[in-house]
Amino acid sequence: MTISTATDADLAALFQFFQEEFKGFINRKYPDNHRVHEAIRYALNGPGKKIRPLLCLSSAIAVGGRPEQALIPAIAVEMLHTYSLVHDDLPAMDNDDMRRGRPTVHVAFDEAIAILVGDALQTDAISLLADTATAEWIPKAEAIPAKGALAIIAELGRAAGGHGMVLGQAIDMEWTGKTAGQLAELDRLHQLKTGVLLGASCAVGALSCKDSTPEDINRLRSFGEAIGLAFQIRDDIIDSFAQTGKTANKDANSGKFTYLSLMGADAAMVRARQLTENSLDNLPNTSSYALLRKIAINLMDRTG
Ligand code: IPE
Ligand code: IPE
Ligand code: MG
Ligand code: MG
Ligand code: MG
């Protein structure tokens, strides 16, 4: 049986499409000279991999839609993710001074501004989904049907909020500096802090397309969560050696509870690959899912 996957060029084209629309959006939405807007532009313009928007747009394609239909949720997801990074780097959390190859927002600006950038990105992401003026900022985006917008807001709120990413971040902080716990606890922590937002990124891509079914949405959410866990395992592994644009070996030096600290790089990588393979087995073997397959495969080999 031939399983269809996309090429690196296909993925690069989707990245390019998103990148151009996102840059235009940032400049139209935050044109002011106020320091907080400068800091928002600084945070959003950092050279991130755009994994979550790519998952969102590819999920729309998977269910028979077009990227333009999922562009607004893709931007909202990247804003939520960027907020999470700005706050993750704060002195009270991971206390990191490098992100995406540049000083973190609280270093380049100051701590109060970094907190406010996170607050603004979070609320602006949600209002973007409900705001009828969105077309002014993102001309290529297609409006989301009202029912879809509500479901998308609910999905993202669940994933990012107090029972999702925030809970994961809180558990991550609790474990920092303690003797390692059990695998099940680490899985839960990683699933919450990272997996759920990748799952929601896929789900909201499908929710943007009116012909998607509840089965499509559930399948895509589960896929995103599984590759999200694998993605965080890979993040733990490469923290120790790769050029990630972040401080090298930060997790070990901070006493973080990670896959690397629990089982070592080789066993952690076996687990990440297993999760990825299982998640690919659960996708329909049709060409519309080819981009999602390619993203999952590429994430396992990434070194940055
Ligand atoms: C970093 O996310 C935080 C994690 C959840 C591991 P990414 O590795 O997607 O960060 P960017 O957006 O590419 O900088
Ligand atoms: C961060 O995990 C997860 C979120 C931001 C929600 P990490 O703390 O491992 O991310 P990096 O390594 O700083 O990017
Ligand atoms: Mg962290
Ligand atoms: Mg961190
Ligand atoms: Mg990390």
Side-chain angles (χ1 to χ4, degrees), residues 85 88-89 93-96 99 169 172 193 235 239 246 250-251 256:
L85 299 181
D88 181 74
D89 291 333
M93 294 193 67
D94 288 356
N95 193 19
D96 243 311
R99 166 72 60 190
Q169 289 287 70
D172 179 288
K193 80 170 182 179
D235 181 79
D239 182 90
K246 308 185 260 192
K250 185 79 172 75
D251 289 341
K256 287 283 180 189

Side-chain angles (χ1 to χ4, degrees), residues 180 186 256-264:
L186 187 58
K256 287 283 180 189
F257 181 28
T258 67
Y259 278 83
L260 199 61
S261 70
L262 186 73
M263 58 177 74

Side-chain angles (χ1 to χ4, degrees), residues 46-84:
K49 295 180 289 298
K50 310 294 188 307
I51 303 301
R52 296 152 192 82
L54 288 174
L55 285 172
C56 177
L57 301 175
S58 302
S59 295
I61 293 169
V63 298
R66 283 166 291 106
E68 288 81 358
Q69 290 174 274
L71 192 50
I72 297 169
I75 289 177
V77 160
E78 185 63 15
M79 291 167 81
L80 284 172
H81 163 61
T82 302
Y83 127 69
S84 81

